[in-house]
Amino acid sequence: MKRFRNATQWGVYDVGVENGRVVDVKGIDEDPEVSDIGQVLLDGVQHSSRIQRPAIRKAWLEKSDRGRDRRGADEFYDVPWDEALEIAANELKRVANEHGNTAIFGGSYGWASAGRFHHAQSQLHRFINLMGGCTRAMNSYSTAAAQVILPHIIAPWPQMELQQTTLESVVTHTELFVAFGGLPSKNAQVAYGGVTEHRTGLDLARARQAGAEFVNISPIAGDIDSQLQPTWLAPIPGTDVALMLGMAYVLETEGLAASDFLQSHCVGYPKVKDYVLGTSDGVAKSPDWAASICGIDATDIEALARKMARKRTFLTAAWSLQRGDHGEQPYWMLCTLAAMLGQIGTPGGGFGFGYSAEAFVGTNYKRFNWATLPKGRNPTGFSIPVARIADMLLNPGATVDYDGREIVYPDTKLIYWAGGNPFHHHQDLNRLVKAWRKPDTVIVNEPWWTPVAQWADIVFPATTSLERTDICASSHDPYAHYMQQALPPQHDARSDHEIFAGLAGVLGFAEAFTENKSEREWLKDMWERSQTLAAQQGFHLPTFEEFESNGMYRLPEEPRVRDWMANFRENPERSQLQTPSGKLELYSATIAEFGYDDCPGQASWLEPLEWQETDRSRYPLHLLSPQPKRRLHSQYDQSKFSQDGKIAGREVLTMHPEAAADRQLKAGALVRVFNERGACLAGLSLDASQRKDTVTLPTGAWFKPSPEGGLEQNGNPNVLTRDKGTSSLAQGPSAHTCLVEVESAS
Ligand SMILES: Nc1nc2c(c(=O)[nH]1)N[C@H]1C(S)=C(S)[C@@H](COP(=O)(O)OP(=O)(O)OC[C@H]3O[C@@H](n4cnc5c(=O)[nH]c(N)nc54)[C@H](O)[C@@H]3O)O[C@H]1N2
Ligand SMILES: Nc1nc2c(c(=O)[nH]1)N[C@H]1C(S)=C(S)[C@@H](COP(=O)(O)OP(=O)(O)OC[C@H]3O[C@@H](n4cnc5c(=O)[nH]c(N)nc54)[C@H](O)[C@@H]3O)O[C@H]1N2
Ligand SMILES: [Mo]
């Protein structure tokens, strides 16, 4: 057996290969908490679901209307590489010539694989920029609402993500850690672009040992590790803003609000106060009012508010909270509540987001922006909010509000996707199916026959990172890894770079795309540009050859000792925030001027769309669709490791035992989960430590509609979720606002 170093977005592994097969996957010594997800590589890479050769959908080739209605339900012809590349390149050219480049949608959102050179989306964007550009997508499914609202009120999102209060500071100073949405350890296995040392769980355990008290505010008790001995408060999903307002009321009426800080460091508190007390709208946001909405006792709300004011308190919210209807509001309200406590900028006090959403959040490493593949710029300069893709496809010419401006949807004729799976990530997949059948052509690069490949017209088989050489290095990880090729390209697969080089060849710009560099020359070029960046920042990177032979490099230590808000706290005039006022905007004149009903000028409780009593009597259960424990999204769902976590061959729906008994359902049963948008099968598991009105069905099962279209077979929650923007401000996805009913399917 020979071992090869491979980096994934859930850790770094030494992959053992014998007789051309992966036979063993082992974490590396540098990782204190190796993630089991690595085991997906065992049979996942060489799985029978690999796409072997380029393929073109039959009706697309044969029918004058391209057989668009059969997209997703058709068969494919195998086509030789040269022919397939020529057909795809000519179709790209035709669409650009006849309809303009904005008729090509190349947003291609998705996580793809670790590795800086072979990053599929970067390769696509470099290619498409050279042919005149396309319509792109802005923001992410992860944090769209946060990315748009936070710059108005506190700081740009990249700064928050990478610079916010460290867990080290929490360990040393925090007495009370209040986590809305919990700190689910399953999620900290993963980090975009790669992760070497998993330490979130260890850091949180150290904080507990040092005396920090944890409060889990989530419908699910398991959202915090029980070893942290958390207190559990279980709000109805989507009601965190009401709960926070109830606490704000206690702080204000009991004289516990930090009035000096609110005056010196914030703008707009008087407006917040009027709203909290009900002077402006006649509704006092009292603990009783909050309790009637969020389902937590008023006395618990009061007690927690008072305790937060007494202790060194750190507030945090999971990213999931902003992935719901009006998802901007919980984040704004969390900032507001932290401002009222007046501890922002103190060691271990204040607030931050997503501690344990990904492995890097709260780490105290040096941040370094490694050089990437040069992508050029998109000549069209045009983007839509990422989660509005189905709206765009269905409504060409229509207008959508976004962050104070209006965006007009183009008429999309061609979609190109490489490194993402919209049939995983998008909401209301039955609606997406209708939208997806509108364009003339869909081209996809994929290693496997995943849903996005099945829903394409032209499919190019891509290699996986085990079949190529690359560098893993990300701005939030202290290591760079040399990723070794462990296997030859499987079947007829080519790397995304080779695929786009082939297309660029047909279109006459091969040299501009490849710069006549080999894979190794690209890696060396990227490394040398990183060496220059490092020298500018006063440290030294080894030569490429040294890095190649060592296999690994660790950045110098450079811990941040002062909190990111400490200077602002010390002197708000000299160290202003990057907001319009330079202060923390509890009321934003900018947002108020946009005039959006669904995102007013200060953090507000706005009833979620799917919420009315009538909705709840038909579909009484709140569906949460969290991230899966045994894989990254839909990646490697075909592997044994992921499949071993299923019940009855389906993704697992977890329900409270009493809710199950009411429906005469037993653990292990095959169930049908449904609402007015769709239905799917799932295997039932029971958990007494969650709300009775809440069920969870993790994301990631490969979308498999029944032949007649009705019932999704594998347990993909996105046939149930609603495809609605969080608000006119951010237009983020709102998957967590969703009501369903469950019944037996056997
Ligand atoms: N209901 C609900 N839906 C959600 C969420 C939720 O909480 N609830 N969460 C959302 C969030 S936060 C996110 S980030 C999205 C994630 O959505 P995605 O990032 O789109 O999901 P992935 O399954 O990671 O898709 C990556 C695809 O790239 C392919 N791939 C891997 N490596 C390569 C490569 O080298 N080349 C090529 N060409 N392809 C490759 C994989 O096979 C896979 O099909 O989902 C969103 N959807
Ligand atoms: N293993 C694994 N880890 C992952 C991923 C993966 O696919 N697999 N994906 C990664 C990605 S792309 C992202 S963006 C992050 C996402 O990180 P998060 O957005 O934090 O993850 P989720 O699992 O969607 O949600 C976390 C918890 O929030 C709770 N919750 C949901 N809605 C509400 C609410 O309204 N109120 C309260 N109080 N709680 C609520 C749910 O119980 C859920 O378990 O995870 C990353 N980590
Ligand atoms: Mo995400």
Side-chain angles (χ1 to χ4, degrees), residues 109 111 140-143 190 192 319 323 357-358 424-425 627 632-633:
Y109 178 82
W111 272 54
S140 69
Y141 274 79
S142 316
T143 54
V190 159
Y192 188 71
W319 293 351
R323 236 180 287 117
E358 288 186 35
H424 164 77
H425 64 235
Q627 312 295 323
L632 171 66
H633 311 138

Side-chain angles (χ1 to χ4, degrees), residues 214-472:
F214 285 82
V215 183
N216 177 25
I217 302 186
S218 168
I220 317 292
D223 274 341
I224 284 196
D225 196 331
S226 57
Q227 288 179 347
L228 300 177
Q229 298 161 295
T231 313
W232 178 37
L233 295 176
I236 295 173
T239 63
D240 301 82
V241 172
L243 169 59
M244 293 182 217
L245 280 165
M247 293 196 266
Y249 183 94
V250 176
L251 297 179
E252 176 52 41
T253 54
E254 299 187 5
L256 299 172
S259 44
D260 289 351
F261 184 85
L262 289 166
Q263 212 163 30
S264 51
H265 290 71
C266 308
V267 293
Y269 185 67
K271 284 219 162 61
V272 171
K273 183 173 157 183
D274 284 349
Y275 177 68
V276 167
L277 298 178
T279 342
S280 51
D281 66 351
V283 182
K285 312 301 175 303
S286 65
D288 284 326
W289 170 87
S292 72
I293 294 170
C294 72
I296 293 175
D297 285 350
T299 47
D300 289 337
I301 298 174
E302 285 163 9
L304 182 57
R306 290 177 193 138
K307 193 181 213 172
M308 291 191 320
R310 267 201 322 272
K311 301 235 173 186
R312 179 54 57 90
T313 300
F314 195 79
L315 304 180
T316 183
W319 293 351
S320 56
L321 264 77
Q322 46 90 64
R323 236 180 287 117
D325 200 16
H326 310 120
E328 296 84 358
Q329 302 307 315
Y331 271 37
W332 203 351
M333 192 59 215
L334 193 89
C335 298
T336 305
L337 196 57
M340 291 178 74
L341 291 172
Q343 301 184 22
I344 293 171
T346 62
F351 74 102
F353 298 112
Y355 292 82
S356 86
E358 288 186 35
F360 73 88
V361 180
T363 53
N364 198 6
Y365 304 126
K366 177 180 177 60
R367 309 296 191 197
F368 177 60
N369 285 320
W370 295 84
T372 53
L373 175 76
K375 292 171 278 294
R377 48 169 271 287
N378 179 14
T380 76
F382 182 68
S383 303
I384 60 155
V386 67
R388 301 276 48 84
I389 178 173
D391 281 356
M392 172 191 75
L393 296 172
L394 289 167
N395 308 300
T399 300
V400 62
D401 286 319
Y402 173 78
D403 200 17
R405 59 193 167 101
E406 291 185 337
I407 294 173
V408 180
Y409 291 131
D411 192 357
T412 308
K413 298 293 180 192
L414 186 150
I415 296 174
Y416 203 133
W417 223 288
N421 180 0
F423 291 89
H424 164 77
H425 64 235
H426 197 58
Q427 283 59 65
D428 198 348
L429 291 179
N430 293 317
R431 182 169 187 256
L432 182 69
V433 161
K434 292 197 190 89
W436 196 260
R437 285 178 166 162
K438 288 197 72 186
D440 296 344
T441 303
V442 179
I443 311 177
V444 166
N445 300 358
E446 252 290 339
W448 297 274
W449 281 108
T450 60
V452 69
Q454 289 164 24
W455 283 79
D457 303 322
I458 304 176
V459 181
F460 291 116
T463 53
T464 69
S465 54
L466 288 190
E467 294 144 65
R468 48 201 195 205
T469 309
D470 211 334
I471 296 172
C472 176

Side-chain angles (χ1 to χ4, degrees), residues 679-682 701-706 709-717 719:
C680 68
L681 295 176
W702 285 9
F703 176 60
K704 187 179 172 196
S706 57
L711 183 65
E712 199 282 326
Q713 302 289 301
N714 286 337
N716 185 320
V719 298

Side-chain angles (χ1 to χ4, degrees), residues 32 69 162 174 205 249 402 474 516 523 530 582 594 650 657 686 744:
D69 288 354
L162 293 176
T174 303
Y249 183 94
Y402 173 78
S474 94
N516 290 322
L523 302 187
S530 294
F594 294 160
R650 270 76 183 195
L686 303 181
S744 169

